[in-house]
PDB file of all heavy atoms in Angstrom:
ATOM      1  N   ILE A   1     -12.547  12.839 -11.846  1.00 95.00           N
ATOM      2  CA  ILE A   1     -13.009  14.179 -11.945  1.00 95.00           C
ATOM      3  C   ILE A   1     -11.837  15.215 -11.973  1.00 95.00           C
ATOM      4  O   ILE A   1     -11.800  16.146 -12.769  1.00 95.00           O
ATOM      5  CB  ILE A   1     -14.016  14.619 -10.900  1.00 95.00           C
ATOM      6  CG1 ILE A   1     -15.238  13.616 -10.966  1.00 95.00           C
ATOM      7  CG2 ILE A   1     -14.533  16.064 -11.098  1.00 95.00           C
ATOM      8  CD1 ILE A   1     -16.039  13.525 -12.205  1.00 95.00           C
ATOM      9  N   LYS A   2     -10.961  15.065 -10.959  1.00 94.00           N
ATOM     10  CA  LYS A   2      -9.861  15.987 -10.955  1.00 94.00           C
ATOM     11  C   LYS A   2      -8.723  15.372 -10.033  1.00 94.00           C
ATOM     12  O   LYS A   2      -8.913  14.427  -9.317  1.00 94.00           O
ATOM     13  CB  LYS A   2     -10.178  17.347 -10.310  1.00 94.00           C
ATOM     14  CG  LYS A   2     -10.574  17.239  -8.868  1.00 94.00           C
ATOM     15  CD  LYS A   2     -10.920  18.604  -8.287  1.00 94.00           C
ATOM     16  CE  LYS A   2     -11.427  18.433  -6.833  1.00 94.00           C
ATOM     17  NZ  LYS A   2     -11.792  19.813  -6.221  1.00 94.00           N
ATOM     18  N   GLY A   3      -7.488  15.785 -10.325  1.00 95.00           N
ATOM     19  CA  GLY A   3      -6.397  15.173  -9.764  1.00 95.00           C
ATOM     20  C   GLY A   3      -6.016  13.909 -10.301  1.00 95.00           C
ATOM     21  O   GLY A   3      -6.489  13.492 -11.444  1.00 95.00           O
ATOM     22  N   PHE A   4      -5.053  13.173  -9.609  1.00 96.00           N
ATOM     23  CA  PHE A   4      -4.594  11.930 -10.254  1.00 96.00           C
ATOM     24  C   PHE A   4      -4.434  10.850  -9.150  1.00 96.00           C
ATOM     25  O   PHE A   4      -4.594   9.653  -9.491  1.00 96.00           O
ATOM     26  CB  PHE A   4      -3.208  12.160 -10.896  1.00 96.00           C
ATOM     27  CG  PHE A   4      -2.731  11.078 -11.746  1.00 96.00           C
ATOM     28  CD1 PHE A   4      -3.542  10.535 -12.765  1.00 96.00           C
ATOM     29  CD2 PHE A   4      -1.476  10.495 -11.453  1.00 96.00           C
ATOM     30  CE1 PHE A   4      -3.051   9.477 -13.562  1.00 96.00           C
ATOM     31  CE2 PHE A   4      -0.980   9.449 -12.364  1.00 96.00           C
ATOM     32  CZ  PHE A   4      -1.786   8.981 -13.324  1.00 96.00           C
ATOM     33  N   ARG A   5      -4.186  11.304  -7.855  1.00 97.00           N
ATOM     34  CA  ARG A   5      -4.090  10.281  -6.772  1.00 97.00           C
ATOM     35  C   ARG A   5      -4.878  10.588  -5.618  1.00 97.00           C
ATOM     36  O   ARG A   5      -4.888  11.765  -5.173  1.00 97.00           O
ATOM     37  CB  ARG A   5      -2.547  10.214  -6.464  1.00 97.00           C
ATOM     38  CG  ARG A   5      -1.618   9.635  -7.462  1.00 97.00           C
ATOM     39  CD  ARG A   5      -0.147   9.483  -6.989  1.00 97.00           C
ATOM     40  NE  ARG A   5       0.580   8.790  -7.847  1.00 97.00           N
ATOM     41  CZ  ARG A   5       1.270   9.190  -8.976  1.00 97.00           C
ATOM     42  NH1 ARG A   5       1.061  10.533  -9.236  1.00 97.00           N
ATOM     43  NH2 ARG A   5       1.885   8.436  -9.806  1.00 97.00           N
ATOM     44  N   ALA A   6      -5.606   9.585  -5.144  1.00 98.00           N
ATOM     45  CA  ALA A   6      -6.465   9.830  -3.980  1.00 98.00           C
ATOM     46  C   ALA A   6      -5.924   8.925  -2.818  1.00 98.00           C
ATOM     47  O   ALA A   6      -5.170   7.998  -3.044  1.00 98.00           O
ATOM     48  CB  ALA A   6      -7.900   9.423  -4.275  1.00 98.00           C
ATOM     49  N   TYR A   7      -6.354   9.348  -1.666  1.00 98.00           N
ATOM     50  CA  TYR A   7      -5.871   8.578  -0.431  1.00 98.00           C
ATOM     51  C   TYR A   7      -7.012   8.176   0.489  1.00 98.00           C
ATOM     52  O   TYR A   7      -7.936   8.988   0.734  1.00 98.00           O
ATOM     53  CB  TYR A   7      -4.931   9.469   0.340  1.00 98.00           C
ATOM     54  CG  TYR A   7      -3.667   9.724  -0.510  1.00 98.00           C
ATOM     55  CD1 TYR A   7      -3.635  10.859  -1.363  1.00 98.00           C
ATOM     56  CD2 TYR A   7      -2.634   8.855  -0.393  1.00 98.00           C
ATOM     57  CE1 TYR A   7      -2.545  11.090  -2.194  1.00 98.00           C
ATOM     58  CE2 TYR A   7      -1.434   9.097  -1.286  1.00 98.00           C
ATOM     59  CZ  TYR A   7      -1.443  10.127  -2.131  1.00 98.00           C
ATOM     60  OH  TYR A   7      -0.314  10.339  -2.897  1.00 98.00           O
ATOM     61  N   ILE A   8      -7.022   6.918   0.936  1.00 98.00           N
ATOM     62  CA  ILE A   8      -8.070   6.438   1.732  1.00 98.00           C
ATOM     63  C   ILE A   8      -7.376   6.246   3.094  1.00 98.00           C
ATOM     64  O   ILE A   8      -6.443   5.411   3.268  1.00 98.00           O
ATOM     65  CB  ILE A   8      -8.640   5.087   1.312  1.00 98.00           C
ATOM     66  CG1 ILE A   8      -9.230   5.238   0.002  1.00 98.00           C
ATOM     67  CG2 ILE A   8      -9.752   4.583   2.287  1.00 98.00           C
ATOM     68  CD1 ILE A   8      -9.686   3.899  -0.727  1.00 98.00           C
ATOM     69  N   ALA A   9      -7.832   6.913   4.122  1.00 98.00           N
ATOM     70  CA  ALA A   9      -7.357   6.714   5.485  1.00 98.00           C
ATOM     71  C   ALA A   9      -8.478   5.865   6.271  1.00 98.00           C
ATOM     72  O   ALA A   9      -9.598   6.218   6.070  1.00 98.00           O
ATOM     73  CB  ALA A   9      -7.072   8.028   6.184  1.00 98.00           C
ATOM     74  N   VAL A  10      -8.044   4.990   7.117  1.00 97.00           N
ATOM     75  CA  VAL A  10      -8.978   4.261   7.917  1.00 97.00           C
ATOM     76  C   VAL A  10      -8.609   4.490   9.422  1.00 97.00           C
ATOM     77  O   VAL A  10      -7.474   4.713   9.736  1.00 97.00           O
ATOM     78  CB  VAL A  10      -9.032   2.796   7.639  1.00 97.00           C
ATOM     79  CG1 VAL A  10      -9.460   2.495   6.262  1.00 97.00           C
ATOM     80  CG2 VAL A  10      -7.612   2.127   7.887  1.00 97.00           C
ATOM     81  N   PHE A  11      -9.525   4.451  10.217  1.00 96.00           N
ATOM     82  CA  PHE A  11      -9.338   4.664  11.698  1.00 96.00           C
ATOM     83  C   PHE A  11      -8.228   3.655  12.137  1.00 96.00           C
ATOM     84  O   PHE A  11      -8.211   2.516  11.971  1.00 96.00           O
ATOM     85  CB  PHE A  11     -10.628   4.344  12.524  1.00 96.00           C
ATOM     86  CG  PHE A  11     -10.437   4.434  13.986  1.00 96.00           C
ATOM     87  CD1 PHE A  11     -10.352   5.631  14.670  1.00 96.00           C
ATOM     88  CD2 PHE A  11     -10.223   3.270  14.636  1.00 96.00           C
ATOM     89  CE1 PHE A  11     -10.124   5.680  16.006  1.00 96.00           C
ATOM     90  CE2 PHE A  11     -10.090   3.305  16.050  1.00 96.00           C
ATOM     91  CZ  PHE A  11     -10.018   4.540  16.720  1.00 96.00           C
ATOM     92  N   GLY A  12      -7.135   4.238  12.704  1.00 95.00           N
ATOM     93  CA  GLY A  12      -6.067   3.413  13.232  1.00 95.00           C
ATOM     94  C   GLY A  12      -5.020   3.097  12.223  1.00 95.00           C
ATOM     95  O   GLY A  12      -3.909   2.484  12.603  1.00 95.00           O
ATOM     96  N   GLY A  13      -5.216   3.393  10.985  1.00 96.00           N
ATOM     97  CA  GLY A  13      -4.203   3.053   9.880  1.00 96.00           C
ATOM     98  C   GLY A  13      -4.359   1.623   9.399  1.00 96.00           C
ATOM     99  O   GLY A  13      -4.874   0.759  10.172  1.00 96.00           O
ATOM    100  N   PHE A  14      -3.795   1.293   8.274  1.00 97.00           N
ATOM    101  CA  PHE A  14      -3.784  -0.019   7.809  1.00 97.00           C
ATOM    102  C   PHE A  14      -2.672  -0.818   8.553  1.00 97.00           C
ATOM    103  O   PHE A  14      -1.577  -0.362   8.841  1.00 97.00           O
ATOM    104  CB  PHE A  14      -3.478  -0.040   6.307  1.00 97.00           C
ATOM    105  CG  PHE A  14      -4.556   0.455   5.447  1.00 97.00           C
ATOM    106  CD1 PHE A  14      -4.781   1.833   5.171  1.00 97.00           C
ATOM    107  CD2 PHE A  14      -5.469  -0.453   4.932  1.00 97.00           C
ATOM    108  CE1 PHE A  14      -5.898   2.220   4.439  1.00 97.00           C
ATOM    109  CE2 PHE A  14      -6.620  -0.042   4.163  1.00 97.00           C
ATOM    110  CZ  PHE A  14      -6.760   1.311   3.958  1.00 97.00           C
ATOM    111  N   LYS A  15      -2.968  -2.127   8.788  1.00 95.00           N
ATOM    112  CA  LYS A  15      -2.061  -2.897   9.586  1.00 95.00           C
ATOM    113  C   LYS A  15      -1.382  -4.067   8.726  1.00 95.00           C
ATOM    114  O   LYS A  15      -1.410  -5.185   8.951  1.00 95.00           O
ATOM    115  CB  LYS A  15      -2.846  -3.594  10.753  1.00 95.00           C
ATOM    116  CG  LYS A  15      -3.641  -2.721  11.585  1.00 95.00           C
ATOM    117  CD  LYS A  15      -2.859  -1.674  12.375  1.00 95.00           C
ATOM    118  CE  LYS A  15      -3.674  -0.774  13.226  1.00 95.00           C
ATOM    119  NZ  LYS A  15      -2.931   0.251  13.944  1.00 95.00           N
ATOM    120  N   THR A  16      -0.781  -3.530   7.665  1.00 94.00           N
ATOM    121  CA  THR A  16      -0.247  -4.509   6.587  1.00 94.00           C
ATOM    122  C   THR A  16       1.271  -4.719   6.979  1.00 94.00           C
ATOM    123  O   THR A  16       1.746  -4.399   8.021  1.00 94.00           O
ATOM    124  CB  THR A  16      -0.407  -3.931   5.210  1.00 94.00           C
ATOM    125  OG1 THR A  16       0.004  -2.619   5.211  1.00 94.00           O
ATOM    126  CG2 THR A  16      -1.831  -4.015   4.847  1.00 94.00           C
ATOM    127  N   GLU A  17       1.950  -5.274   6.056  1.00 94.00           N
ATOM    128  CA  GLU A  17       3.342  -5.638   6.244  1.00 94.00           C
ATOM    129  C   GLU A  17       4.276  -4.382   6.510  1.00 94.00           C
ATOM    130  O   GLU A  17       4.161  -3.418   5.758  1.00 94.00           O
ATOM    131  CB  GLU A  17       3.869  -6.430   5.043  1.00 94.00           C
ATOM    132  CG  GLU A  17       5.330  -6.924   5.036  1.00 94.00           C
ATOM    133  CD  GLU A  17       5.761  -7.478   3.756  1.00 94.00           C
ATOM    134  OE1 GLU A  17       5.151  -7.206   2.713  1.00 94.00           O
ATOM    135  OE2 GLU A  17       6.706  -8.325   3.744  1.00 94.00           O
ATOM    136  N   LYS A  18       5.044  -4.513   7.513  1.00 96.00           N
ATOM    137  CA  LYS A  18       6.018  -3.377   7.902  1.00 96.00           C
ATOM    138  C   LYS A  18       7.410  -3.940   7.672  1.00 96.00           C
ATOM    139  O   LYS A  18       7.871  -4.920   8.259  1.00 96.00           O
ATOM    140  CB  LYS A  18       5.793  -3.011   9.375  1.00 96.00           C
ATOM    141  CG  LYS A  18       6.583  -1.706   9.708  1.00 96.00           C
ATOM    142  CD  LYS A  18       6.175  -1.329  11.169  1.00 96.00           C
ATOM    143  CE  LYS A  18       6.811   0.029  11.553  1.00 96.00           C
ATOM    144  NZ  LYS A  18       6.478   0.373  12.913  1.00 96.00           N
ATOM    145  N   VAL A  19       8.212  -3.219   6.930  1.00 96.00           N
ATOM    146  CA  VAL A  19       9.615  -3.680   6.616  1.00 96.00           C
ATOM    147  C   VAL A  19      10.507  -2.396   6.704  1.00 96.00           C
ATOM    148  O   VAL A  19      10.189  -1.336   6.142  1.00 96.00           O
ATOM    149  CB  VAL A  19       9.733  -4.221   5.142  1.00 96.00           C
ATOM    150  CG1 VAL A  19      11.154  -4.594   4.910  1.00 96.00           C
ATOM    151  CG2 VAL A  19       8.877  -5.431   4.946  1.00 96.00           C
ATOM    152  N   MET A  20      11.583  -2.461   7.494  1.00 96.00           N
ATOM    153  CA  MET A  20      12.542  -1.486   7.682  1.00 96.00           C
ATOM    154  C   MET A  20      11.813  -0.179   8.240  1.00 96.00           C
ATOM    155  O   MET A  20      12.018   0.939   7.803  1.00 96.00           O
ATOM    156  CB  MET A  20      13.271  -1.053   6.366  1.00 96.00           C
ATOM    157  CG  MET A  20      14.115  -2.200   5.894  1.00 96.00           C
ATOM    158  SD  MET A  20      15.080  -1.743   4.293  1.00 96.00           S
ATOM    159  CE  MET A  20      15.891  -3.285   3.942  1.00 96.00           C
ATOM    160  N   GLY A  21      10.924  -0.393   9.200  1.00 95.00           N
ATOM    161  CA  GLY A  21      10.234   0.739   9.813  1.00 95.00           C
ATOM    162  C   GLY A  21       9.150   1.395   9.017  1.00 95.00           C
ATOM    163  O   GLY A  21       8.646   2.466   9.400  1.00 95.00           O
ATOM    164  N   SER A  22       8.731   0.821   7.907  1.00 97.00           N
ATOM    165  CA  SER A  22       7.709   1.508   7.066  1.00 97.00           C
ATOM    166  C   SER A  22       6.745   0.484   6.479  1.00 97.00           C
ATOM    167  O   SER A  22       7.135  -0.701   6.148  1.00 97.00           O
ATOM    168  CB  SER A  22       8.410   2.286   5.924  1.00 97.00           C
ATOM    169  OG  SER A  22       7.469   2.722   5.098  1.00 97.00           O
ATOM    170  N   TYR A  23       5.545   0.934   6.301  1.00 97.00           N
ATOM    171  CA  TYR A  23       4.527   0.074   5.648  1.00 97.00           C
ATOM    172  C   TYR A  23       4.496   0.353   4.160  1.00 97.00           C
ATOM    173  O   TYR A  23       3.743  -0.379   3.470  1.00 97.00           O
ATOM    174  CB  TYR A  23       3.156   0.394   6.169  1.00 97.00           C
ATOM    175  CG  TYR A  23       2.944   0.125   7.640  1.00 97.00           C
ATOM    176  CD1 TYR A  23       3.272   1.015   8.706  1.00 97.00           C
ATOM    177  CD2 TYR A  23       2.464  -1.204   8.009  1.00 97.00           C
ATOM    178  CE1 TYR A  23       3.054   0.685  10.033  1.00 97.00           C
ATOM    179  CE2 TYR A  23       2.261  -1.477   9.343  1.00 97.00           C
ATOM    180  CZ  TYR A  23       2.552  -0.576  10.358  1.00 97.00           C
ATOM    181  OH  TYR A  23       2.431  -0.867  11.643  1.00 97.00           O
ATOM    182  N   SER A  24       5.319   1.246   3.654  1.00 97.00           N
ATOM    183  CA  SER A  24       5.234   1.585   2.214  1.00 97.00           C
ATOM    184  C   SER A  24       5.652   0.345   1.320  1.00 97.00           C
ATOM    185  O   SER A  24       6.662  -0.223   1.421  1.00 97.00           O
ATOM    186  CB  SER A  24       6.215   2.765   1.916  1.00 97.00           C
ATOM    187  OG  SER A  24       5.710   3.925   2.499  1.00 97.00           O
ATOM    188  N   MET A  25       4.718   0.098   0.363  1.00 97.00           N
ATOM    189  CA  MET A  25       4.989  -1.040  -0.544  1.00 97.00           C
ATOM    190  C   MET A  25       5.994  -0.582  -1.515  1.00 97.00           C
ATOM    191  O   MET A  25       5.884   0.516  -2.128  1.00 97.00           O
ATOM    192  CB  MET A  25       3.626  -1.467  -1.242  1.00 97.00           C
ATOM    193  CG  MET A  25       2.646  -2.129  -0.337  1.00 97.00           C
ATOM    194  SD  MET A  25       1.159  -2.615  -1.184  1.00 97.00           S
ATOM    195  CE  MET A  25       0.373  -3.715  -0.070  1.00 97.00           C
ATOM    196  N   TYR A  26       6.976  -1.522  -1.853  1.00 96.00           N
ATOM    197  CA  TYR A  26       7.944  -1.234  -2.916  1.00 96.00           C
ATOM    198  C   TYR A  26       8.530  -2.649  -3.365  1.00 96.00           C
ATOM    199  O   TYR A  26       8.758  -3.508  -2.561  1.00 96.00           O
ATOM    200  CB  TYR A  26       9.102  -0.359  -2.356  1.00 96.00           C
ATOM    201  CG  TYR A  26      10.081   0.012  -3.467  1.00 96.00           C
ATOM    202  CD1 TYR A  26       9.804   1.081  -4.343  1.00 96.00           C
ATOM    203  CD2 TYR A  26      11.293  -0.696  -3.620  1.00 96.00           C
ATOM    204  CE1 TYR A  26      10.646   1.393  -5.355  1.00 96.00           C
ATOM    205  CE2 TYR A  26      12.165  -0.372  -4.586  1.00 96.00           C
ATOM    206  CZ  TYR A  26      11.944   0.666  -5.503  1.00 96.00           C
ATOM    207  OH  TYR A  26      12.696   1.012  -6.472  1.00 96.00           O
ATOM    208  N   HIS A  27       8.672  -2.680  -4.747  1.00 92.00           N
ATOM    209  CA  HIS A  27       9.142  -3.918  -5.253  1.00 92.00           C
ATOM    210  C   HIS A  27      10.532  -4.356  -4.666  1.00 92.00           C
ATOM    211  O   HIS A  27      11.405  -3.585  -4.538  1.00 92.00           O
ATOM    212  CB  HIS A  27       9.380  -3.718  -6.815  1.00 92.00           C
ATOM    213  CG  HIS A  27       9.784  -4.974  -7.534  1.00 92.00           C
ATOM    214  ND1 HIS A  27       9.066  -6.086  -7.596  1.00 92.00           N
ATOM    215  CD2 HIS A  27      10.979  -5.151  -8.200  1.00 92.00           C
ATOM    216  CE1 HIS A  27       9.738  -7.032  -8.303  1.00 92.00           C
ATOM    217  NE2 HIS A  27      10.784  -6.468  -8.749  1.00 92.00           N
ATOM    218  N   ASN A  28      10.559  -5.615  -4.311  1.00 90.00           N
ATOM    219  CA  ASN A  28      11.734  -6.281  -3.761  1.00 90.00           C
ATOM    220  C   ASN A  28      12.041  -5.839  -2.252  1.00 90.00           C
ATOM    221  O   ASN A  28      13.040  -6.318  -1.690  1.00 90.00           O
ATOM    222  CB  ASN A  28      13.015  -6.081  -4.575  1.00 90.00           C
ATOM    223  CG  ASN A  28      12.912  -6.938  -5.883  1.00 90.00           C
ATOM    224  OD1 ASN A  28      12.247  -7.957  -5.919  1.00 90.00           O
ATOM    225  ND2 ASN A  28      13.663  -6.470  -6.871  1.00 90.00           N
ATOM    226  N   ILE A  29      11.268  -4.926  -1.725  1.00 95.00           N
ATOM    227  CA  ILE A  29      11.417  -4.538  -0.312  1.00 95.00           C
ATOM    228  C   ILE A  29      10.310  -5.239   0.477  1.00 95.00           C
ATOM    229  O   ILE A  29      10.525  -5.944   1.406  1.00 95.00           O
ATOM    230  CB  ILE A  29      11.408  -3.046  -0.145  1.00 95.00           C
ATOM    231  CG1 ILE A  29      12.584  -2.445  -0.820  1.00 95.00           C
ATOM    232  CG2 ILE A  29      11.531  -2.748   1.367  1.00 95.00           C
ATOM    233  CD1 ILE A  29      14.011  -2.777  -0.443  1.00 95.00           C
ATOM    234  N   THR A  30       9.064  -4.997   0.044  1.00 95.00           N
ATOM    235  CA  THR A  30       7.907  -5.609   0.623  1.00 95.00           C
ATOM    236  C   THR A  30       7.503  -6.803  -0.301  1.00 95.00           C
ATOM    237  O   THR A  30       7.952  -6.869  -1.485  1.00 95.00           O
ATOM    238  CB  THR A  30       6.812  -4.655   0.757  1.00 95.00           C
ATOM    239  OG1 THR A  30       6.501  -3.999  -0.436  1.00 95.00           O
ATOM    240  CG2 THR A  30       7.081  -3.666   1.862  1.00 95.00           C
ATOM    241  N   SER A  31       6.698  -7.692   0.162  1.00 94.00           N
ATOM    242  CA  SER A  31       6.305  -8.903  -0.599  1.00 94.00           C
ATOM    243  C   SER A  31       5.475  -8.513  -1.888  1.00 94.00           C
ATOM    244  O   SER A  31       5.493  -9.285  -2.814  1.00 94.00           O
ATOM    245  CB  SER A  31       5.556  -9.848   0.278  1.00 94.00           C
ATOM    246  OG  SER A  31       4.376  -9.236   0.845  1.00 94.00           O
ATOM    247  N   LYS A  32       4.789  -7.374  -1.825  1.00 93.00           N
ATOM    248  CA  LYS A  32       4.060  -6.918  -2.981  1.00 93.00           C
ATOM    249  C   LYS A  32       4.325  -5.387  -3.137  1.00 93.00           C
ATOM    250  O   LYS A  32       4.625  -4.696  -2.161  1.00 93.00           O
ATOM    251  CB  LYS A  32       2.532  -7.073  -2.765  1.00 93.00           C
ATOM    252  CG  LYS A  32       2.105  -8.482  -2.730  1.00 93.00           C
ATOM    253  CD  LYS A  32       0.658  -8.611  -2.683  1.00 93.00           C
ATOM    254  CE  LYS A  32       0.201 -10.121  -2.754  1.00 93.00           C
ATOM    255  NZ  LYS A  32      -1.329 -10.252  -2.654  1.00 93.00           N
ATOM    256  N   SER A  33       4.219  -4.958  -4.331  1.00 95.00           N
ATOM    257  CA  SER A  33       4.354  -3.479  -4.657  1.00 95.00           C
ATOM    258  C   SER A  33       3.027  -2.817  -4.798  1.00 95.00           C
ATOM    259  O   SER A  33       2.983  -1.560  -4.828  1.00 95.00           O
ATOM    260  CB  SER A  33       5.197  -3.278  -5.910  1.00 95.00           C
ATOM    261  OG  SER A  33       4.592  -3.873  -7.098  1.00 95.00           O
ATOM    262  N   ARG A  34       1.914  -3.486  -4.866  1.00 96.00           N
ATOM    263  CA  ARG A  34       0.687  -2.963  -4.980  1.00 96.00           C
ATOM    264  C   ARG A  34      -0.403  -3.977  -4.457  1.00 96.00           C
ATOM    265  O   ARG A  34      -0.066  -5.202  -4.279  1.00 96.00           O
ATOM    266  CB  ARG A  34       0.277  -2.562  -6.415  1.00 96.00           C
ATOM    267  CG  ARG A  34       0.165  -3.713  -7.348  1.00 96.00           C
ATOM    268  CD  ARG A  34      -0.034  -3.330  -8.798  1.00 96.00           C
ATOM    269  NE  ARG A  34       1.219  -2.879  -9.356  1.00 96.00           N
ATOM    270  CZ  ARG A  34       1.319  -2.388 -10.642  1.00 96.00           C
ATOM    271  NH1 ARG A  34       0.101  -2.342 -11.384  1.00 96.00           N
ATOM    272  NH2 ARG A  34       2.437  -1.962 -11.200  1.00 96.00           N
ATOM    273  N   ILE A  35      -1.576  -3.542  -4.168  1.00 96.00           N
ATOM    274  CA  ILE A  35      -2.586  -4.495  -3.694  1.00 96.00           C
ATOM    275  C   ILE A  35      -3.146  -5.219  -5.022  1.00 96.00           C
ATOM    276  O   ILE A  35      -3.068  -4.757  -6.070  1.00 96.00           O
ATOM    277  CB  ILE A  35      -3.753  -3.789  -2.952  1.00 96.00           C
ATOM    278  CG1 ILE A  35      -4.519  -2.906  -3.865  1.00 96.00           C
ATOM    279  CG2 ILE A  35      -3.178  -3.076  -1.719  1.00 96.00           C
ATOM    280  CD1 ILE A  35      -5.813  -2.297  -3.274  1.00 96.00           C
ATOM    281  N   GLU A  36      -3.657  -6.456  -4.654  1.00 96.00           N
ATOM    282  CA  GLU A  36      -4.215  -7.255  -5.739  1.00 96.00           C
ATOM    283  C   GLU A  36      -5.597  -7.824  -5.327  1.00 96.00           C
ATOM    284  O   GLU A  36      -5.913  -7.830  -4.126  1.00 96.00           O
ATOM    285  CB  GLU A  36      -3.264  -8.425  -6.050  1.00 96.00           C
ATOM    286  CG  GLU A  36      -1.861  -8.040  -6.515  1.00 96.00           C
ATOM    287  CD  GLU A  36      -0.883  -9.173  -6.607  1.00 96.00           C
ATOM    288  OE1 GLU A  36      -1.253 -10.299  -6.149  1.00 96.00           O
ATOM    289  OE2 GLU A  36       0.222  -8.945  -7.103  1.00 96.00           O
ATOM    290  N   LYS A  37      -6.320  -8.144  -6.437  1.00 96.00           N
ATOM    291  CA  LYS A  37      -7.584  -8.832  -6.139  1.00 96.00           C
ATOM    292  C   LYS A  37      -7.548 -10.027  -5.185  1.00 96.00           C
ATOM    293  O   LYS A  37      -6.566 -10.731  -5.314  1.00 96.00           O
ATOM    294  CB  LYS A  37      -8.217  -9.191  -7.481  1.00 96.00           C
ATOM    295  CG  LYS A  37      -9.693  -9.812  -7.352  1.00 96.00           C
ATOM    296  CD  LYS A  37     -10.227  -9.989  -8.792  1.00 96.00           C
ATOM    297  CE  LYS A  37     -11.733 -10.593  -8.696  1.00 96.00           C
ATOM    298  NZ  LYS A  37     -12.220 -10.909 -10.049  1.00 96.00           N
ATOM    299  N   HIS A  38      -8.478 -10.072  -4.319  1.00 96.00           N
ATOM    300  CA  HIS A  38      -8.559 -11.129  -3.217  1.00 96.00           C
ATOM    301  C   HIS A  38      -7.602 -10.886  -2.073  1.00 96.00           C
ATOM    302  O   HIS A  38      -7.719 -11.703  -1.161  1.00 96.00           O
ATOM    303  CB  HIS A  38      -8.233 -12.561  -3.806  1.00 96.00           C
ATOM    304  CG  HIS A  38      -9.097 -12.979  -5.000  1.00 96.00           C
ATOM    305  ND1 HIS A  38     -10.490 -12.873  -4.889  1.00 96.00           N
ATOM    306  CD2 HIS A  38      -8.790 -13.411  -6.165  1.00 96.00           C
ATOM    307  CE1 HIS A  38     -11.036 -13.282  -6.065  1.00 96.00           C
ATOM    308  NE2 HIS A  38     -10.046 -13.571  -6.842  1.00 96.00           N
ATOM    309  N   ASP A  39      -6.791  -9.815  -2.126  1.00 96.00           N
ATOM    310  CA  ASP A  39      -5.994  -9.545  -0.900  1.00 96.00           C
ATOM    311  C   ASP A  39      -6.847  -9.267   0.274  1.00 96.00           C
ATOM    312  O   ASP A  39      -8.038  -8.777   0.109  1.00 96.00           O
ATOM    313  CB  ASP A  39      -5.148  -8.223  -1.124  1.00 96.00           C
ATOM    314  CG  ASP A  39      -3.773  -8.631  -1.895  1.00 96.00           C
ATOM    315  OD1 ASP A  39      -3.506  -9.819  -2.170  1.00 96.00           O
ATOM    316  OD2 ASP A  39      -3.103  -7.720  -2.277  1.00 96.00           O
TER     317      ASP A  39
END
């Protein structure tokens, strides 16, 4: 409807892979750069 990027926050935050002090996904830093089906 409007805008381009949305954000989903969950209580307590997501508990995914943490690398170099951050959970931010990035190619060749974390194991994945984006979420995928069946994750």
Side-chain angles (χ1 to χ4, degrees):
I1 304 299
K2 65 178 176 183
F4 193 54
R5 291 181 171 88
Y7 296 88
I8 305 172
V10 299
F11 175 80
F14 288 86
K15 310 296 183 184
T16 51
E17 182 184 20
K18 189 176 186 180
V19 180
M20 297 180 184
S22 173
Y23 294 91
S24 292
M25 290 180 168
Y26 184 81
H27 180 66
N28 288 335
I29 299 296
T30 52
S31 58
K32 291 183 177 181
S33 59
R34 65 184 79 180
I35 65 170
E36 298 173 352
K37 186 177 181 179
H38 303 309
D39 279 353

